[in-house]
Amino acid sequence: MSDNLKNLSDQGVSIWLDDISRERLRTGNLEALVKDKNVVGVTSNPTIFAKALSKGSAYDEQVRDLVLRGVDVDEASRAITTYDIRWGCDVLRPVYDRTDGLDGRVSIEVDPRLARKSDETIAEARALWWLVDRPNLFIKIPATEPGLPAIAASLAEGISVNVTLIFSLERYGKVIDAYFEGLEKARENGHDLSKIASVASFFVSRVDTEIDKRLDKIGTDEAKALRSKAGVANARLAYALYEEKFGSDRWKALKDAGARPQRPLWASTGVKDPDLPDTLYVDQLVAPGTVNTMPEATLEATADHGNITGDTVTGNYDDARAHMAALKDAGVDYDDVVKVLEDEGVDKFEVSWNELLGTISGELDKQGADA
């Protein structure tokens, strides 16, 4: 393990991999990353599964079995994705045990076509929790307005949740409130709060991509000077909100009942702009009690030349607020930015899910013709 990754872990940042595939599992690559690169968790999304299914032969045997069973494409997609997640949970189980359930987590997302439907999302979360049947599973639920009651309801049933697609500070506050509500109901339902976990996935690079596009359109020197800093500033202010909410009396009552804090997770940490340092969203978001889920390229870059200098978040709140104020003065509408990003995020995952279904349908047809 490189000193950079060890230093990052020593600062209280859990390193997760934002990728999973049958090939990675079958070859032992994930185990190697756990052993050598300090990876202690895995996240997945529909785009990742669509990419994994589109190349190689790792899924052929299972697809043949599904053809013989005559299952439809939706059941096939669930069988294929939960198989990988279950396997990933087993690989990470020693980490889960060693950290007393803090890490060693693997996430699977509910069908993104349900992102704007509360009851259907809850039903899907129950089904996935039952299907994977591993204590170190996270069910990913988007932080849409309809997703908030689904998050609380799932937690109330003892289901651990990764809340995803968070862009705005206002929505993040509601996500934390949903976490508190879910735990309070879980306690009323007799669940052991120490067994329920959650992370809140706050997206970073996509914020810069959208805001930089708007700054370039404004075109002034002052606007251009503000480029590529909003993602980090927004995330730092999210951490400030985290500290505030988890210092409240409401949280202290839950903590006394055995609850764990819902950790902030930095997602979308692969740099989109090639002119930026490729470890920007790692180096600049070091804070205790956080998770950084990285694409493998970002993980390798951090290991090679990351600049881990200690906490880079908590001492920078005033600068972050000043930057967001400067964006407003320049004419960037923050509320519109985060709305666009949420809508695009849901739509992109739905497109990826449909691509995944299309790939599986094609494989089912192909295997059926060869049978």
Side-chain angles (χ1 to χ4, degrees):
M1 183 173 55
S2 78
D3 287 344
N4 289 335
L5 297 177
K6 182 179 185 302
N7 290 344
L8 188 60
S9 298
D10 288 346
Q11 291 296 324
V13 179
S14 291
I15 300 168
W16 290 11
L17 178 70
D18 192 25
D19 189 61
I20 195 168
S21 70
R22 188 73 53 87
E23 189 69 17
R24 191 184 290 282
L25 292 161
R26 191 170 66 175
T27 60
N29 173 265
L30 181 57
E31 290 177 274
L33 291 175
V34 171
K35 178 176 179 288
D36 300 329
K37 296 292 173 66
N38 225 32
V39 169
V40 293
V42 170
T43 48
S44 70
N45 60 49
T47 303
I48 285 169
F49 277 119
K51 182 180 176 182
L53 262 291
S54 67
K55 57 184 181 181
S57 59
Y59 296 91
D60 287 358
E61 183 178 354
Q62 187 181 16
V63 171
R64 279 194 295 271
D65 287 346
L66 292 168
V67 169
L68 290 171
R69 290 173 51 207
V71 304
D72 64 23
V73 66
D74 284 304
E75 184 180 346
S77 69
R78 183 173 285 182
I80 288 168
T81 56
T82 57
Y83 188 103
D84 282 2
I85 296 298
R86 192 179 302 109
W87 193 345
C89 283
D90 291 343
V91 171
L92 271 295
R93 182 60 187 264
V95 176
Y96 173 82
D97 292 337
R98 186 180 75 240
T99 61
D100 192 28
L102 179 68
D103 284 310
R105 300 279 178 168
V106 183
S107 300
I108 186 171
E109 188 152 346
V110 296
D111 184 335
R113 295 172 297 182
L114 307 177
R116 298 180 178 94
K117 301 176 181 178
S118 299
D119 291 343
E120 289 87 341
T121 294
I122 297 166
E124 179 82 351
R126 287 192 195 110
L128 290 171
W129 186 254
W130 176 84
L131 262 177
V132 176
D133 192 27
R134 296 293 188 272
N136 52 330
L137 176 68
F138 270 140
I139 303 297
K140 289 179 78 173
I141 300 176
T144 58
E145 281 287 354
L148 295 172
I151 291 160
S154 298
L155 291 161
E157 295 186 20
I159 296 171
S160 293
V161 176
N162 176 344
V163 184
T164 189
L165 286 179
I166 308 172
F167 297 99
S168 80
L169 297 170
E170 180 187 13
R171 184 62 54 80
Y172 179 41
K174 292 181 179 180
V175 166
I176 297 174
D177 289 342
Y179 181 60
F180 291 168
E181 179 186 341
L183 289 183
E184 287 160 355
K185 290 181 179 176
R187 181 177 55 187
E188 293 172 9
N189 293 338
H191 290 287
D192 180 353
L193 298 191
S194 69
K195 303 297 183 186
I196 304 172
S198 183
V199 292
S201 296
F202 206 87
F203 280 52
V204 185
S205 68
R206 294 190 195 183
V207 173
D208 274 339
T209 300
E210 180 64 26
I211 288 182
D212 286 358
K213 183 170 63 178
R214 297 180 185 218
L215 290 171
D216 289 343
K217 189 173 182 180
I218 293 168
T220 64
D221 290 341
E222 292 81 4
K224 291 177 182 178
L226 298 173
R227 292 182 86 260
S228 307
K229 299 173 184 176
V232 167
N234 198 41
R236 286 172 171 169
L237 294 179
Y239 193 82
L241 182 57
Y242 160 78
E243 289 188 311
E244 176 188 333
K245 289 274 194 177
F246 283 88
S248 66
D249 290 340
R250 186 180 184 187
W251 166 246
K252 288 173 185 173
L254 288 165
K255 182 181 178 182
D256 289 345
R260 304 165 177 265
Q262 180 189 56
R263 291 185 294 170
L265 180 151
W266 311 129
S268 183
T269 55
V271 172
K272 305 290 193 294
D273 184 342
D275 292 333
L276 296 175
D278 54 2
T279 62
L280 174 69
Y281 302 124
V282 179
D283 300 341
Q284 295 301 309
L285 291 175
V286 178
T290 59
V291 178
N292 195 310
T293 185
M294 310 176 198
E296 189 169 16
T298 304
L299 176 70
E300 296 293 348
T302 302
D304 181 65
H305 53 265
N307 185 27
I308 310 304
T309 59
D311 184 340
T312 52
V313 173
T314 59
N316 291 294
Y317 295 154
D318 287 343
D319 286 346
R321 293 186 184 99
H323 183 76
M324 301 310 281
L327 287 172
K328 182 177 180 180
D329 290 343
V332 175
D333 185 340
Y334 176 83
D335 291 338
D336 185 66
V337 166
V338 295
K339 182 182 185 305
V340 166
L341 287 171
E342 180 180 303
D343 290 343
E344 285 184 352
V346 172
D347 290 344
K348 284 177 181 177
F349 279 170
E350 187 170 335
V351 168
S352 294
W353 189 258
N354 288 327
E355 288 175 0
L356 172 62
L357 295 179
T359 300
I360 292 171
S361 180
E363 289 296 313
L364 290 172
D365 291 343
K366 177 185 173 184
Q367 296 287 356
D370 293 343

